[in-house]
Every structure is written in C-alpha cells, then in structure tokens.
Amino acid sequence: MAIEDKKLAIKRQFLRYIHPLKSITNDLDQKECWIEQMKYLVLDLKTLLNLSFKEFWSTVVFNKQATMGLCTFLQEAAPPHLMDQLPQDDNVLIIYNEIYHFAFKLLERLTTSSEDEENYISPHYMWSLLCNNNIISITMLFDICSIYGQSYKEQLEIIFKELFTCQKVYEKNLKIFIKITVKCLNQFQDKIKLDIEYDNDKMCQRNETSTDVEEIYLCMFEDIINFLLDTSCSISNFLEIYPEAAIFFYQEKLHLKIASFYHNVKPLIYNKIITMKKLEKFQEKLHASRLLLMKSVRQCLIHITTQITNKSENAVEEYLEIISELLIYDEFVNDYNFVYNLIDDIKECQKFNKKIDSIRYDYLLKSLELINRPYAEHKQKELQLELQTNITNMENAKLLSLINNVKDLLPYLEDGFIQKCLKYYNMDSEKVINMFLEDGLPLELTQYNSNLSLMSEYEDNATGYDPSIKGNKELKKLKSVLDDKSFRNEMRPFYEKYNLTEITCAELESYYNDEHNDTFNEIEYALPEPKDKNKKIRPDVTPRVLIQKTAVTKCIQEESSDDESQQVLNFQPFCENPEEIRERQARKYAAKQSNKSNRSKPKVVSSSTTPSKSNVELNRQRKNKNKAFSGNHNRRNAARSKQQKGMF
C-alpha cells in the first residue's frame, strides 16, 4: 500500500545549510545574518519532524527541497575531529549543535519503517523509495559515518544492516565507490608530490615575500592534512559500523593502496612540516590520520583473521601472502607492526597450520625484524652526521675568513701556508700578521714553502703526511699482499711431477745462449740481383695501331690544354646547366605563342572545298539512320586505351 500522496505534500521552500566560514568574515552583521538563516533551517527541520506519517513521506518523495537541508549539512558540516574549522563563537556553536541534533533526528525518521501500529511501512518498500528517489546515497552514508559515527554508533549499525539487506543496489554502488576512492588516493598522492616539489619554484617566480609564501604553504598543508584525516576517519568508521563490507574493500585491494599511499605520503609531509617548523601545530591530526589508516587496513583483513581463528588452512596461506605483499612498504609496516604486532600474528598462524614450510615463516619474521629496526638509532646517526657536517662547514668558513684577513695585508702568501701559520698560532690572524711584519718566522714554519696551496696540503694528507689518515697504510698492506708471490714456490714441486713448471725470467735468460745467431745477425750482406731469364735481346717496338692512337690522344690533349673550358668526349654532367634549360624553355614558349597566333587568324577556305548544304544534310541523315548498326561513342577504343594505361 502506497503511503505517499502528492496532495498531502507540503508546498514550502526549504533552506540549505551554509558553512559559517563561507559567509562570515569579521563583520558582526554577517554573523547575525548567518544566525538568522540557520534559525530558519532549524524551523524547517522541526516542521518535517512534526508532520504526520503520510504527510512526512509524501513531502519527502514529492518535494525535492525537503531533504536539501539534511544533504547540505552532511556535506558542509564539521565532523568532531575537525571542530577547529568552525569559528569559536558561542552563538555560532549553539545553533550548529541544534542543527546537528535535529538533522540526526530527521535521518532517524527517514530510516524507520514503523512509528506505531497504525503508521507502518515495509522496510523493503521504504528503502526502495529512498534509493529510487536518491534521498540517501552511498556518499551520504560515508558522510554520516564521518559526522555521527562515534556519537551514534549503535543506531547506525541497525540502520546499515537493514539498508544492505533490504536493498542490494547499495552493494553495487559500494563497489563502484571503493574504486573511486582508490583513484582519489592516487590523484591525491600525485597532487601532494607536485605541491611539495614544484610550488616552491612557482613562488620564486611570483617574487612574493617570505611571509606570503609561508602563509600559502600553511593553508595548503592544512587542507591536505584535513582531507587526509577526514577520508581516513570516514573509511574506518564505515568499516567499524558495518564490518560485513570489509570483503568488498579487500576484493578491491584497498589495503594495499592505503599501505602504498601511507609509505609514499608520510615522509613527504613530515619532512616538509619539519622544515617549516610547524610540527607541533599539525602533529595531533597527522598522528590520528595515521592510526585511522592502519585501523582501516586491519578492518579490511578482519574476515581473514576470523577464518584463521577457526583454523582454516587456506586463510593462513592467504594472510601470509598479504603480509609478504605489504613488506614492500616498509614505512607502513614499521608503524603497523608497532600497533598490531604482526610477529605475533605470524606465530599464531604457525601454530594453526604447521604444514607450511618453516623457511617461509623464518623469512617473514627476519624481514620484519630488519624492517622494524628502531628508527631512533638511524635518526640519531643522521643527526650526528648533520651536526658534524655543520661543524666542519662552520670551521671551514672561519678558516677562510681568517685566511682572507691575512691575505688583505699579505697578498703574496698562499692559502696553504697561511693555514699552517694559523694552526701554529692557534687560529690568531693578528699574531700571524705581526710575525711576517717583524720577520719573526719560527723554525717550525721554515720547512714549508710560502707558495703552499690548500690543494697541495690535501695531497700531502692523502699521501700520508697527516698521521690521522690511516687509509694509506691500509693501501700499502694491500699492495704487499698482492705483490707476494711465495705461493709459486709452494706449488712448484706439485707441477714438476707433470713436467709443467713456470719458467722465470732468469731461467729463460740462462736457457738462451744462441751466440751464433747473435754474431751473424750483426753483419749485413748485399745479395746479388737475380738475372731475368725472359729478358729479350731485341728492343721493344710499339705497333703501328698504337702509334696512331697515341697521336690522336696527343691531339686531344693539346686541344684540351688550349681550350680548358671544352668538355671531355662522352662527358655526362651530374646536373644540367640552368642557362641551357632556360633557353630551351624560352624557345618552347615562343613556339607555343606563334602557334596560338596562327590559330587565331581566320582560315581562307576555297570555294571548291566548301560542301554544299544539301550534302551536309544527307550526311546527317545517314549518320542518324546507321547509329544503331555500329558501336556508338567509340566505347571499344576507350576501353582498350584504359586497359593499356592500367586503369583496370
């Protein structure tokens, strides 16, 4: 039975919720205007709640503005973890709390199928009305979890169970929404990287002051951290209120996406905030968002952990595979293990299922131990290195300043020699200057050259002049080990058994005593040239044919020497002379113009050749009569010409 009726619907314009920061700045008039508008919104919510059962459902279905106040409040409201986004004014907070209370009352009435015995509606029909008319959607459910998840948890658990059991469309929409959240996390990760890496260059190009840049960065990071906290809170609250949905989140691999997001985003944000010296301001929100992200990953894996407690072997293998996949993201695994202790989970899996190879368990435990080494020691080492580098940089800067002070008065001295003098006088530049002005160079410094540079001093240190450097000694030891060939003498008797021994240079010289060859190689003998047996007695004579050809070639050579511009016979140039081409084209153009002029002249026809009118008419009659007896329009010749040209 339909309870909605268009005649019972109230014709009223309902207001929408406006965030106070969007309409209030610092003006008192704006604040009073916002308070009056929100009072009207409270009246709208009260009127809907005071309507009868049929009037309420008919207005909700047929008046599209009836639930606009609730929808806008769920979109624009400040959840409990972001209450600092509201102006800290008593009047504003009182009205906000009223809207917060009556909005949830309206949500409760929308999701209750029976108020009393007379006013009853089946839950399936009710949720079909809410789903088909788009009164409650999946996005609205996540907003409800973010705003009311902690304060009205028990009521929301009942509503969500009834919703997903009665209307199966919400499950399909939930799967689509999870895919969208995965894409949003990817885009949000890319945005954070771009904002952190490239916005500094943009600020420098705009030539803005340091205070303006800091304000812009603070606003940007505040938005990033608020968004991160809100999304993590909504996901974790949704899974806590309706844990049956964890299967859909696990199927879409949201746990892996959250782990990679955590691993990539956390160090970027923390490093930037530490450099900006704003860690105290954002530390609580960042800590809460990290805990909520880890909690949401734990909730995604609830159904697997419950199967493990029921001693399911497949669940144990699946859980171990998930842990091995998560090991890539060491930033996430380090914090996750600190909160939920993955080592204990692995040991419990080993108790339940002993069929799995122990090597696999050992691998996971050792990898977790390596990943979860305390970061404090690593950070302390980094801090010590930073302090050491800072100290050395400061010392180098002081040293250069003292060297410059000395060189201002004594420019002919080199930096290395000045450094030796400063070390001798305990880094006092005035004593060094007085020493040179009074010609009181001590004996300890006379061994050094005044042209000693800093580079030469470093070379001395590298070669072992400075006793603090021990690398040179190690190199010498290594060279002595490599040059030691005593093992050859040890292995010689073994290879002598097989007549395979290594011959040294001294033995080779003793073996080589070929004095005969050495003595006779020094003397050079002039060998006589061999006589040609085929040498002819008669002198060579050229035949007559060749004499004629040589005469012709001589003539050609003489002509070519006289006229160098003349071309060789049968010479084909690479490209034709452009002058000849222009002349040839001019001749062709002149011939065409002469032909055109001849055509334009009227032809004189002799009277003998002009046919009479009677003959012309006879020819036309014959042609018309004999058209059907022969192929008209010369089709055969046309087809033959097309075939010859290759057209078909």
Side-chain angles (χ1 to χ4, degrees), residues 12-189:
R12 178 192 173 103
Q13 289 185 352
F14 292 90
L15 289 174
R16 56 188 298 155
Y17 175 77
I18 301 166
H19 198 278
L21 293 177
K22 290 183 179 179
S23 58
I24 301 170
T25 54
N26 291 322
D27 196 357
L28 293 171
D29 295 332
Q30 290 180 354
K31 186 177 81 172
E32 290 176 358
C33 180
W34 182 83
I35 289 166
E36 287 179 359
Q37 287 179 352
M38 294 303 103
K39 284 180 180 177
Y40 282 113
L41 179 61
V42 171
L43 284 172
D44 290 340
L45 294 172
K46 286 180 179 179
T47 52
L48 284 169
L49 291 168
N50 291 325
L51 289 173
S52 62
F53 190 73
K54 289 185 178 180
E55 286 178 350
F56 174 77
W57 282 105
S58 55
T59 50
V60 165
V61 172
F62 294 107
N63 193 350
K64 300 298 180 184
Q65 293 182 350
T67 57
M68 187 171 64
L70 177 64
C71 294
T72 52
F73 178 75
L74 293 172
Q75 291 171 0
E76 300 287 336
H81 50 271
L82 295 175
M83 287 299 288
D84 58 343
Q85 299 298 309
L86 291 172
Q88 301 303 314
D89 189 3
D90 293 334
N91 296 321
V92 173
L93 291 172
I94 287 163
I95 291 172
Y96 178 81
N97 289 325
E98 286 183 0
I99 297 165
Y100 181 84
H101 174 72
F102 288 111
F104 186 75
K105 290 290 182 185
L106 181 61
L107 181 67
E108 272 188 331
R109 190 169 186 187
L110 282 168
T111 55
T112 52
S113 57
S114 62
E115 293 180 356
D116 50 25
E117 294 179 357
E118 294 179 357
N119 300 320
Y120 174 77
I121 184 173
S122 64
H124 292 277
Y125 186 71
M126 181 190 70
W127 286 110
S128 64
L129 283 174
L130 293 171
C131 182
N132 294 328
N133 293 303
N134 201 13
I135 296 164
I136 292 175
S137 60
I138 288 289
T139 54
M140 193 184 289
L141 293 175
F142 278 89
D143 292 330
I144 290 162
C145 292
S146 179
I147 296 164
Y148 298 106
Q150 297 297 324
S151 54
Y152 299 101
K153 183 182 175 182
E154 294 178 357
Q155 294 91 326
L156 290 173
E157 284 178 356
I158 296 162
I159 291 165
F160 277 48
K161 283 180 182 178
E162 190 176 346
L163 182 147
F164 282 100
T165 51
C166 293
Q167 198 68 28
K168 296 295 181 183
V169 180
Y170 284 104
E171 288 184 359
K172 295 179 182 177
N173 294 333
L174 179 63
K175 291 177 183 178
I176 295 163
F177 183 80
I178 293 164
K179 291 178 182 177
I180 292 165
T181 51
V182 170
K183 289 181 182 178
C184 287
L185 288 172
N186 286 323
Q187 292 175 359
F188 186 57
Q189 182 178 335

Side-chain angles (χ1 to χ4, degrees), residues 199-215:
D199 277 1
N200 198 4
D201 298 332
K202 292 179 182 178
M203 298 298 173
C204 295
Q205 290 175 2
R206 291 173 189 168
N207 297 321
E208 296 184 1
T209 60
S210 60
T211 55
D212 294 333
V213 170
E214 285 181 0
E215 287 179 359

Side-chain angles (χ1 to χ4, degrees), residues 278-463:
K278 297 291 180 183
L279 184 62
E280 293 180 357
K281 185 178 180 181
F282 301 113
Q283 191 171 8
E284 290 182 1
K285 289 184 178 179
L286 282 170
H287 188 66
S289 62
R290 285 166 60 193
L291 287 172
L292 289 168
L293 286 171
M294 288 186 280
K295 186 182 177 182
S296 59
V297 171
R298 188 72 174 179
Q299 288 165 345
C300 287
L301 305 175
I302 281 172
H303 67 284
I304 297 172
T305 54
T306 52
Q307 289 176 6
I308 290 167
T309 53
N310 295 325
K311 298 182 180 180
S312 176
E313 294 179 358
N314 294 325
V316 171
E317 291 181 355
E318 192 174 357
Y319 188 67
L320 293 174
E321 286 178 2
I322 290 161
I323 293 169
S324 60
E325 287 176 351
L326 289 171
L327 288 174
I328 305 165
Y329 314 110
D330 52 357
E331 285 282 341
F332 175 78
V333 171
N334 183 24
D335 296 338
Y336 188 81
N337 189 26
F338 181 75
V339 177
Y340 295 107
N341 201 352
L342 281 169
I343 295 167
D344 291 341
D345 292 344
I346 292 167
K347 288 178 179 177
E348 286 180 3
C349 292
Q350 194 172 7
K351 288 178 184 177
F352 291 135
N353 190 2
K354 294 181 180 179
K355 292 181 181 179
I356 296 171
D357 192 3
S358 61
I359 296 166
R360 189 175 180 184
Y361 290 110
D362 293 334
Y363 167 73
L364 291 171
L365 292 169
K366 286 179 182 178
S367 58
L368 284 170
E369 287 176 2
L370 290 170
I371 289 168
N372 296 319
R373 281 178 180 174
Y375 276 79
E377 294 178 0
H378 184 66
K379 288 180 180 178
Q380 283 178 0
K381 288 179 183 178
E382 287 182 351
L383 289 169
Q384 287 175 0
L385 288 170
E386 286 178 0
L387 288 169
Q388 287 176 1
T389 52
N390 290 326
I391 290 163
T392 52
N393 290 327
M394 290 292 289
E395 288 176 355
N396 290 327
K398 287 179 182 178
L399 179 65
L400 289 171
S401 65
L402 292 170
I403 289 167
N404 290 324
N405 290 331
V406 175
K407 287 188 81 174
D408 289 338
L409 293 172
L410 304 167
Y412 57 89
L413 296 174
E414 291 294 332
D415 296 342
F417 184 67
I418 294 167
Q419 186 180 1
K420 294 289 183 185
C421 297
L422 287 167
K423 284 181 180 179
Y424 183 78
Y425 286 105
N426 295 322
M427 306 305 288
D428 192 354
S429 60
E430 292 179 357
K431 288 182 180 179
V432 174
I433 293 164
N434 289 327
M435 178 193 67
F436 278 99
L437 292 174
E438 293 175 358
D439 293 331
L441 190 69
L443 294 172
E444 288 81 0
L445 296 174
T446 53
Q447 62 180 350
Y448 298 110
N449 189 6
S450 62
N451 295 322
L452 183 68
S453 63
L454 286 171
M455 290 297 292
S456 63
E457 185 186 357
Y458 296 149
E459 286 170 2
D460 292 337
N461 288 332
T463 54

